[in-house]
DNA sequence: GAGAGGACGCTACG
DNA sequence: CGTAGCGTCC
C-alpha cells in the first residue's frame, strides 16, 4: 500500500478551526470544505474537542513515505543461501524502520550490513567465560526441593524486612509489635520520606537489626567465614532490596526501581519453622550492599561482592529467589564489566513465583504475600499435599521453566542500541504525514473531525455520510461490547472502496507505527540510547512468554520504508540478525494433535506455502487459482480455529458479518474433520475433568466449563481448545536447549535476543553465520 | 477546571 | 483466544 503524495490544497484554510474546541452537545457549525471525493459536498461539521491542533500550516512538502506490504525476503546476508537451505535453517532479517535504528557511537558498535537490517547493531566482545569462571551446575534438585519451592514453609517471606504499611496492616498490630525491629523502624521512618532516605532508612534498619550481618562491615577473614557458612547452608534465600524502600516481595511496580542491596538468608533448619518465626538457631541473615560505586572505588568493593553474590550463584546448593529473573538480571547489569551473560545464563535459582504460577496460571499472585496466602495458608501443611498438588508439573518446572529464568535474564540484559536522532526524524516525518492524511480525511468527510476518535469517525461514517445505506445486502460488523457499528479498517472497507476507507480512517497503520513503534520506543529510552524489553514468564495464562516496554513481540513484520534515505552506511559489518523460524508451530501442533490426514499432508511439502495449500484444499481449486483474498481468509480462519476465536471475533478480523464468519468456520471444519473431532475431544475431556493439559503437561483449570450460562460455557470451551494448542511447547523446549547449547559449546559469538512465539531471534557475528547455521539442525517439530 | 483512572475501541504480534 | 499499547471519552 503506497501513500503517494496527495494533491496539495490551499494550506492554512482550516487553521482557524483548530483552536476552537467546542463541546459536541453545544454547537454545530458549517465548514464548507472542498470535497474531493464523491460524497455530498457539504455537511454539518462535527464539533470537536481536540488535544492538539488539527491543522497547521503546511509550508513544506513532506517526503514521500511508502508502507510496503511484501513478504520478508529470505536471504542470508553473507553465507550462501544454499547451505542454509540444506541445513533446514532459514533466516529472516527482521527489517524494521531502517531510517531510525542505525549506528551508534559505542566503541564496538557496528552497523548491520544489509539495508534491511535495522535493529541490532552491536556486538559484544564479551569478557569471555575464562575471566571469572562460574561453574554452571547441572544438578538434579531433589523432589524435596519441589515441595519446598511449590509450597514452601521457609520461603523468602521469612526474611521480609520491608517497612511497608500494608505488610504491617496484614499482619495486624500484635505482629507489628512482636515483629522484627527493622520492620518497625522502617515503617515509622520510611513512609513519608523521599526515596533516597527511605532506602537509607531501610538499609539502616536492616543493618542495625541484630540478626542481620552487614557484609560491608566485615573484615576479610570474617567475610571468608561468612562465605564458608553460606557454602554449607542447606539453602539460600535471596531478596533484592530497592532504593525506594520496597523489596522484590512487593507487588510489581510500573518502573523497575533501582536496587540498593540484597538480603541473603542462609537456611540450615528446613523443618519445623513457621512463617511467623522464620529464623532458626542455625540460620543467618546477611545484607549485601549493591550500589553503583564510583570507578575509583570499584576495585576494592567488587572483591567482596564477588565473594558473596557471584560465588553463591555459581554453587550447586539450593538457591531460592522470588522473581529470580530480576536477581539474575541485576547481577548481570551490576557486574557488566566482569561477568558474561553466558555465565549467568546457566544458573539455576528456584523461583516460587514461577512455580506458583504453574499451579494456577489463570490467577497469578500479585506479590509474595499473595502467593504465600494462596499456597501456604496452614503453616504445618504436610509435604504430601504439596507433592500431590504439583504432580506432573515438577518436570515442566525443573526441565523447562527453571532454565528459562536465566535465559530470559540474559536476554533482558542485552541492549539494543538505537539511533535516537534518526528515530526522532522518523517521528517528525510521520507526524507530517499524519497531518496530511488528516486533512484528506476532513475533505473526504466534508467536515472537521478528530480522526483518532472512533466515536467521531462513527458519527461521520454512519450518521453524516450514512454509508451503511449503500450496502444493505451486507451485514456490518459490530463492536464487541456496545454492539455499535465498528469503525475498524476491515469493517469500513466493506462500506466503500479501500482508497476512500484509508482516507477516511486516516490510515490507521501510519498512526499505529508512529504512536507505538516510533514514539513508543522513544519513550522507552529516556536517558539512554538503547532499548531492552522486559520479558515475562508468568503473565500469560497459556504459558507463552510476553514482553513489555517495548513489546518486542508486536513489532511489525513489514518494514517501514521511507524513500528518503537517512541511514548511515556502516563500514565494517560484523553483526547481523538471524532468525530461526519454526513455520507455524501452532498449526503444526494442531495437525499433530488432531492427526488430520489432510492437514498433515500439507506439512509434507515444506517448501510450499501452507496457507495457499489450505485455501486450495478448502475451496477445492488448484493452488494457482487461489487468490490472495482466499489465502488471507484461509489464514484468518485457521487462526480463529487454532486460537479458538469465536465468530464475532472472526467477523471483526475478516470484516464480514458474524453469520458469514461462522459459515466460513463451518466449511473449514467440514473439510478437516479430524480437527473438529480433536476440538470436541478436548472439550469433552475438559467437561469431565474440569481442566485441560497442554502437550508439555501445563495445566489450566476452567471453572466455567460447566456453567449454566451458554455464553460463559462456550467461552470456557474455546479457552480450553486455545490452551491446548497455544501452550508454549516446542519452541520453549528448543528455546532452552539451544540457549544452553550456545552457552556450553561456545562455538559462536552469538546471542539470543528475542523470542517471538514461534521464532527465535539471534544475533550472530557476520563471519560466523555459516557456522551458526550449520550447527543448528532441523528442529523436529511435527 | 485539571487530572487520575477505568471502560472501550482499535491494532500489532502469534 | 490472549498478550501489549495507544488513543478517546467519561
Amino acid at each position: 500500500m503506497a501513500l503517494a503524495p496527495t494533491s496539495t490544497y490551499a494550506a492554512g484554510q482550516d487553521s482557524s478551526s483548530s483552536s476552537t474546541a467546542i463541546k459536541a452537545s453545544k454547537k454545530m457549525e458549517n465548514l464548507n470544505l472542498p470535497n474531493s471525493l464523491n460524497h455530498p459536498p457539504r455537511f454539518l461539521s462535527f464539533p470537536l474537542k481536540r488535544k492538539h491542533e488539527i491543522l497547521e500550516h503546511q509550508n513544506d512538502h513532506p517526503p514521500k513515505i511508502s508502507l510496503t506490504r511484501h513478504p520478508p525476503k529470505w536471504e542470508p546476508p553473507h553465507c550462501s543461501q544454499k547451505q542454509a537451505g540444506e541445513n533446514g535453517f532459514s533466516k529472516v532479517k527482521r527489517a524494521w524502520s531502517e531510517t531510525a535504528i542505525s549506528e551508534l557511537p559505542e566503541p564496538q558498535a557496528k552497523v548491520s550490513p544489509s539495508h534491511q537490517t535495522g535493529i541490532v547493531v552491536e556486538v559484544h566482545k564479551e569478557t569471555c567465560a575464562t575471566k571469572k569462571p562460574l561453574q554452571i551446575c547441572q544438578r538434579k534438585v531433589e523432589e524435596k526441593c519441589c515441595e519446598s519451592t511449590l509450597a514452601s514453609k521457609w520461603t523468602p517471606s521469612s526474611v521480609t524486612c520491608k517497612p511497608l504499611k500494608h505488610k504491617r496492616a496484614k499482619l495486624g498490630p500484635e505482629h507489628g509489635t512482636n515483629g522484627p525491629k527493622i520492620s518497625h523502624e522502617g515503617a515509622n521512618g520510611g513512609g513519608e520520606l523521599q526515596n533516597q532516605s527511605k532506602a537509607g532508612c531501610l538499609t539502616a534498619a536492616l543493618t542495625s537489626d541484630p540478626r542481620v550481618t552487614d557484609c560491608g562491615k566485615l573484615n576479610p577473614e570474617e567475610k571468608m567465614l561468612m562465605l564458608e557458612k553460606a557454602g554449607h547452608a542447606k539453602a539460600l534465600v535471596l531478596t533484592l532490596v530497592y532504593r525506594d524502600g520496597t523489596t522484590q516481595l512487593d507487588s510489581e511496580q510500573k518502573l523497575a526501581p533501582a536496587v540498593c542491596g540484597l538480603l541473603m538468608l542462609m537456611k540450615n533448619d528446613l523443618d519445623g519453622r513457621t512463617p511467623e518465626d522464620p529464623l532458626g538457631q542455625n540460620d543467618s541473615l546477611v545484607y549485601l550492599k549493591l550500589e553503583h560505586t564510583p570507578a575509583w572505588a570499584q576495585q576494592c568493593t567488587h572483591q567482596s561482592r564477588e565473594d558473596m553474590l557471584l560465588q553463591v550463584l555459581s554453587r550447586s546448593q539450593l538457591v531460592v529467589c522470588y522473581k529470580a529473573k530480576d536477581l539474575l538480571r541485576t547481577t548481570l547489569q551490576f557486574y557488566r564489566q566482569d561477568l558474561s551473560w553466558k555465565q549467568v545464563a546457566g544458573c539455576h535459582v528456584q523461583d516460587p513465583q514461577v512455580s506458583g504460577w504453574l499451579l494456577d496460571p489463570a490467577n497469578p499472585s500479585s506479590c509474595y504475600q499473595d502467593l504465600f496466602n494462596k499456597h501456604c495458608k496452614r503453616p504445618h501443611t504436610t509435604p504430601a499435599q504439596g507433592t500431590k498438588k504439583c504432580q506432573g508439573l515438577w518436570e515442566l518446572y525443573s526441565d523447562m521453566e527453571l532454565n528459562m529464568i536465566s535465559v530470559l535474564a540474559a536476554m533482558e540484559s542485552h541492549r539494543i542500541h538505537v539511533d535516537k536522532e534518526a528515530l526522532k526524524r522518523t517521528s517528525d516525518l510521520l507526524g507530517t504525514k499524519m497531518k496530511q492524511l488528516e486533512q484528506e480525511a476532513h475533505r473526504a468527510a466534508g467536515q472537521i473531525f478528530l480522526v483518532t476518535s472512533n466515536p467521531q469517525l462513527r458519527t461521520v461514517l454512519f450518521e453524516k455520510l450514512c454509508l451503511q445505506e449503500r450496502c444493505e445486502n451486507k451485514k456490518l460488523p459490530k463492536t464487541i461490547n456496545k454492539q455499535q457499528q465498528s469503525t475498524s479498517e476491515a469493517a469500513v472497507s466493506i462500506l466503500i472502496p479501500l482508497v476512500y476507507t484509508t482516507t477516511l480512517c486516516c490510515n490507521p497503520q501510519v498512526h499505529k507505527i508512529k504512536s507505538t513503534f516510533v514514539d513508543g520506543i522513544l519513550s522507552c529510552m529516556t536517558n539512554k540510547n538503547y532499548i531492552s524489553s522486559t520479558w515475562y514468564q508468568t503473565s500469560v495464562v497459556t504459558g507463552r512468554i510476553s514482553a513489555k516496554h517495548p513489546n518486542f513481540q508486536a513489532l511489525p513484520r513489514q518494514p517501514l520504508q521511507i524513500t528518503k534515505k537517512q541511514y548511515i552506511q556502516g563500514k565494517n559489518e560484523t553483526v547481523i540478525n538471524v532468525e530461526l523460524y519454526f513455520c507455524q508451530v501452532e498449526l503444526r501442533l494442531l495437525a499433530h494433535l488432531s492427526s488430520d490426514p489432510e492437514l498433515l499432508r500439507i506439512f509434507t511439502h515444506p517448501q510450499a506455502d501452507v496457507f495457499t495449500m489450505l485455501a486450495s484444499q478448502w475451496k477445492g481449486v488448484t493452488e494457482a487459482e487461489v487468490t490472495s483474498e482466499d489465502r488471507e481468509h484461509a489464514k484468518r480462519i485457521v487462526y480463529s480455529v487454532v486460537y479458538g476465536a469465536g465468530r464475532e471475533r472472526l467477523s471483526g478480523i475478516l470484516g464480514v458479518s458474524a453469520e458469514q464468519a461462522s459459515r466460513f468456520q463451518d466449511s473449514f471444519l467440514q473439510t478437516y474433520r479430524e480437527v473438529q473431532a480433536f476440538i470436541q475431544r478436548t472439550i469433552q475431556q475438559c467437561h469431565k475433568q474440569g481442566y485441560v493439559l497442554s502437550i508439555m503437561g501445563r495445566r489450566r483449570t476452567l471453572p466455567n466449563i460447566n456453567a449454566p450460562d451458554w455464553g460463559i460455557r462456550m467461552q470456557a470451551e474455546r479457552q480450553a481448545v486455545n490452551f491446548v494448542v497455544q501452550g508454549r511447547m516446542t519452541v520453549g523446549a528448543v528455546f532452552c536447549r539451544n540457549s544452553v547449547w550456545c552457552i556450553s559449546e561456545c562455538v559462536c559469538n552469538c546471542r539470543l535476543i528475542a523470542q517471538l512465539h514461534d521464532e527465535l531471534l539471534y544475533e550472530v557475528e557476520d563471519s560466523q553465520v555459516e557456522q551458526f547455521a550449520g550447527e543448528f539442525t532441523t528442529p523436529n517439530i511435527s
Side-chain angles (χ1 to χ4, degrees):
Chain A
M1 180 186 313
L3 305 177
T6 51
S7 54
T8 52
Y9 35 90
Q13 61 185 1
D14 307 316
S15 58
S16 61
S17 61
S18 57
S19 55
T20 49
I22 312 158
K23 283 272 179 187
S25 53
K26 285 182 186 167
K27 219 176 189 175
M28 296 283 229
E29 65 178 280
N30 257 326
L31 279 170
N32 297 323
L33 290 171
N35 201 318
S36 60
L37 299 181
N38 298 326
H39 297 304
R42 292 179 57 177
F43 289 104
L44 286 175
S45 82
F46 188 76
L48 312 164
K49 189 178 167 190
R50 303 222 33 161
K51 246 179 159 182
H52 312 289
E53 308 258 322
I54 304 175
L55 302 167
E56 281 171 16
H57 288 282
Q58 288 197 326
N59 43 18
D60 56 348
H61 300 287
K64 183 179 163 187
I65 300 178
S66 61
L67 266 177
T68 53
R69 286 268 165 204
H70 55 76
K73 290 178 187 166
W74 292 69
E75 51 162 36
H78 279 276
C79 84
S80 74
Q81 190 149 17
K82 192 167 159 248
Q83 185 188 339
E86 279 166 1
N87 289 315
F89 169 79
S90 312
K91 2 183 167 352
V92 169
K93 287 165 286 179
R94 202 166 174 92
W96 188 72
S97 188
E98 62 203 48
T99 56
I101 300 178
S102 58
E103 198 171 13
L104 37 127
E106 293 276 311
Q108 308 102 335
K110 296 289 188 293
V111 83
S112 329
S114 164
H115 291 243
Q116 295 196 339
T117 323
I119 192 149
V120 179
V121 285
E122 65 167 345
V123 60
H124 286 264
K125 301 293 178 202
E126 298 289 353
T127 47
C128 226
T130 51
K131 198 168 177 182
K132 299 267 156 55
L134 260 179
Q135 280 202 332
I136 310 301
C137 328
Q138 302 230 332
R139 78 209 142 77
K140 182 82 182 171
V141 186
E142 292 164 15
E143 191 70 23
K144 191 175 180 182
C145 171
C146 164
E147 296 156 24
S148 311
T149 322
L150 292 172
S152 175
K153 286 187 288 180
W154 44 271
T155 42
S157 86
S158 51
V159 294
T160 303
C161 293
K162 56 183 174 179
L164 293 179
K165 289 150 262 170
H166 77 264
K167 172 79 180 173
R168 279 167 57 87
K170 271 182 189 170
L171 289 172
E174 69 280 356
H175 284 97
T177 44
N178 295 336
K181 187 182 158 197
I182 41 176
S183 177
H184 189 68
E185 282 179 2
N188 286 341
E192 291 146 20
L193 298 173
Q194 294 297 316
N195 284 351
Q196 285 291 346
S197 42
K198 265 196 224 168
C201 226
L202 183 66
T203 313
L206 286 171
T207 47
S208 63
D209 187 282
R211 298 168 303 169
V212 179
T213 313
D214 185 359
C215 199
K217 289 179 185 160
L218 299 180
N219 63 37
E221 287 86 54
E222 287 171 323
K223 271 178 197 163
M224 285 301 291
L225 277 174
M226 189 58 85
L227 198 60
E228 207 172 305
K229 204 171 169 186
H232 292 132
K234 285 182 183 157
L236 294 169
V237 188
L238 306 175
T239 305
L240 288 176
V241 180
Y242 297 116
R243 279 194 200 175
D244 65 358
T246 60
T247 73
Q248 266 189 307
L249 307 179
D250 297 305
S251 52
E252 202 82 41
Q253 280 151 316
K254 270 188 182 173
L255 291 168
V259 175
C260 71
L262 178 71
L263 205 52
M264 176 158 55
L265 172 65
M266 302 172 190
K267 239 1 207 167
N268 282 307
D269 296 337
L270 297 190
D271 306 307
R273 309 305 302 187
T274 63
E276 289 78 19
D277 183 20
L279 212 55
Q281 272 188 346
N282 301 319
D283 303 338
S284 353
L285 259 172
V286 179
Y287 178 74
L288 280 167
K289 198 177 168 193
L290 277 181
E291 272 176 313
H292 282 287
T293 41
W296 54 266
Q298 268 180 12
Q299 195 73 44
C300 49
T301 49
H302 253 205
Q303 207 67 45
S304 61
R305 284 195 299 249
E306 265 166 353
D307 284 346
M308 296 303 272
L309 184 51
L310 291 188
Q311 295 205 28
V312 156
L313 288 177
S314 68
R315 285 183 178 156
S316 57
Q317 70 199 116
L318 178 58
V319 179
V320 182
C321 177
Y322 181 72
K323 297 179 189 170
K325 187 202 70 183
D326 290 347
L327 171 72
L328 294 177
R329 191 200 53 234
T330 305
T331 312
L332 262 173
Q333 284 167 352
F334 204 72
Y335 299 101
R336 190 165 275 280
Q337 301 285 315
D338 313 318
L339 187 66
S340 159
W341 61 273
K342 292 180 182 181
Q343 293 167 277
V344 164
C347 290
H348 283 183
V349 181
Q350 306 292 323
D351 188 344
Q353 187 190 37
V354 174
S355 48
W357 165 76
L358 276 179
L359 288 173
D360 187 8
N363 308 296
S365 310
S366 61
C367 60
Y368 183 76
Q369 194 65 48
D370 253 20
L371 184 80
F372 188 81
N373 293 341
K374 195 168 169 181
H375 298 289
C376 314
K377 271 178 188 155
R378 289 173 302 279
H380 297 292
T381 310
T382 55
Q385 198 179 349
T387 316
K388 197 179 172 187
K389 212 177 173 185
C390 68
Q391 202 98 58
L393 290 171
W394 174 246
E395 268 192 7
L396 177 64
Y397 172 75
S398 63
D399 293 349
M400 187 162 142
E401 302 294 345
L402 198 57
N403 295 318
M404 193 99 72
I405 295 171
S406 54
V407 173
L408 289 180
M411 221 156 83
E412 213 165 275
S413 67
H414 180 253
R415 297 176 167 186
I416 298 166
H417 288 271
V418 176
D419 185 338
K420 238 174 163 173
E421 292 309 313
L423 202 59
K424 279 176 187 160
R425 284 197 296 277
T426 308
S427 174
D428 291 343
L429 229 67
L430 289 170
T432 319
K433 187 72 207 173
M434 277 301 292
K435 273 180 199 155
Q436 191 187 328
L437 289 168
E438 216 169 28
Q439 287 195 349
E440 282 175 52
H442 295 159
R443 280 157 59 90
Q447 68 173 62
I448 306 249
F449 68 103
L450 186 53
V451 290
T452 42
S453 162
N454 294 317
Q456 291 189 22
L457 180 61
R458 187 173 298 119
T459 313
V460 167
L461 292 175
F462 300 106
E463 287 176 29
K464 300 297 185 312
L465 300 178
C466 293
L467 293 178
Q468 72 280 16
E469 290 169 8
R470 300 189 185 186
C471 41
E472 299 103 351
N473 51 341
K474 294 177 191 166
K475 280 212 169 183
L476 298 169
K478 299 277 177 74
T479 58
I480 304 289
N481 283 329
K482 295 207 163 178
Q483 290 295 306
Q484 291 174 308
Q485 301 279 17
S486 167
T487 55
S488 72
E489 206 189 8
V492 178
S493 66
I494 307 171
L495 294 167
I496 37 179
L498 194 65
V499 56
Y500 297 149
T501 311
T502 314
T503 310
L504 280 164
C505 292
C506 214
N507 206 325
Q509 292 153 5
V510 173
H511 182 244
K512 178 78 181 175
I513 286 166
K514 177 167 160 52
S515 63
T516 306
F517 303 120
V518 178
D519 296 345
I521 284 186
L522 274 172
S523 75
C524 290
M525 42 190 295
T526 40
N527 305 326
K528 52 183 188 180
N529 64 341
Y530 61 87
I531 49 171
S532 37
S533 295
T534 313
W535 299 89
Y536 294 90
Q537 192 173 358
T538 62
S539 72
V540 184
V541 66
T542 56
R544 280 180 164 184
I545 288 170
S546 77
K548 263 188 195 174
H549 203 251
N551 180 1
F552 212 104
Q553 294 173 325
L555 293 183
R557 297 203 72 86
Q558 272 76 29
L560 168 71
Q561 284 189 347
I562 298 184
T563 49
K564 203 171 150 188
K565 289 192 178 180
Q566 288 186 341
Y567 50 83
I568 311 147
Q569 193 70 33
K571 286 171 194 166
N572 302 316
E573 297 100 9
T574 55
V575 175
I576 62 131
N577 291 329
V578 174
E579 225 168 83
L580 289 182
Y581 183 37
F582 307 109
C583 250
Q584 290 95 30
V585 168
E586 281 156 9
L587 187 55
R588 280 168 191 264
L589 187 66
L590 183 71
H592 167 77
L593 290 170
S594 66
S595 318
D596 188 282
E598 290 296 303
L599 213 50
L600 283 171
R601 201 165 61 81
I602 285 173
F603 287 108
T604 58
H605 306 285
Q607 73 284 4
D609 179 78
V610 176
F611 293 114
T612 308
M613 289 188 71
L614 269 173
S616 103
Q617 281 187 358
W618 170 45
K619 296 268 182 182
V621 295
T622 66
E623 280 175 48
E625 288 169 328
V626 173
T627 64
S628 60
E629 197 190 358
D630 288 340
R631 185 186 178 278
E632 192 60 25
H633 275 201
K635 186 176 166 183
R636 296 300 185 183
I637 291 158
V638 165
Y639 277 130
S640 79
V641 172
V642 171
Y643 297 139
R647 59 175 205 169
E648 283 78 16
R649 185 70 194 264
L650 181 62
S651 80
I653 296 165
L654 284 178
V656 298
S657 68
E659 288 75 21
Q660 213 171 347
S662 87
R663 271 205 302 280
F664 277 148
Q665 266 183 337
D666 289 346
S667 89
F668 179 85
L669 291 174
Q670 287 296 312
T671 313
Y672 302 102
R673 303 257 175 169
E674 290 303 318
V675 174
Q676 189 162 33
F678 154 73
I679 290 172
Q680 263 148 25
R681 225 169 31 239
T682 307
I683 292 171
Q684 269 175 16
Q685 214 170 8
C686 188
H687 275 293
K688 215 158 62 188
Q689 303 170 329
Y691 65 89
V692 275
L693 292 175
S694 81
I695 202 164
M696 290 291 289
R698 205 178 291 281
R699 175 193 293 242
R700 181 176 182 180
T701 48
L702 290 154
N704 290 333
I705 195 69
N706 290 313
D709 185 290
W710 182 83
I712 293 174
R713 196 173 63 245
M714 290 302 281
Q715 190 191 21
E717 290 181 358
R718 289 193 297 270
Q719 286 170 329
V721 176
N722 175 266
F723 180 80
V724 176
V725 181
Q726 198 188 86
R728 181 204 328 160
M729 16 89 282
T730 324
V731 168
V734 176
F735 182 66
C736 285
R737 186 169 59 86
N738 285 333
S739 307
V740 170
W741 165 80
C742 277
I743 297 154
S744 56
E745 299 296 318
C746 206
V747 286
C748 286
N749 194 2
C750 64
R751 178 160 185 169
L752 183 62
I753 289 169
Q755 188 261 26
L756 310 160
H757 304 303
D758 60 352
E759 287 175 40
L760 298 176
L761 185 67
Y762 279 90
E763 179 190 82
V764 185
E765 203 165 299
D766 208 13
S767 58
Q768 295 180 333
V769 169
E770 285 187 43
Q771 191 189 356
F772 183 81
E775 293 289 338
F776 264 99
T777 51
T778 312
N780 188 11
I781 288 164
S782 52

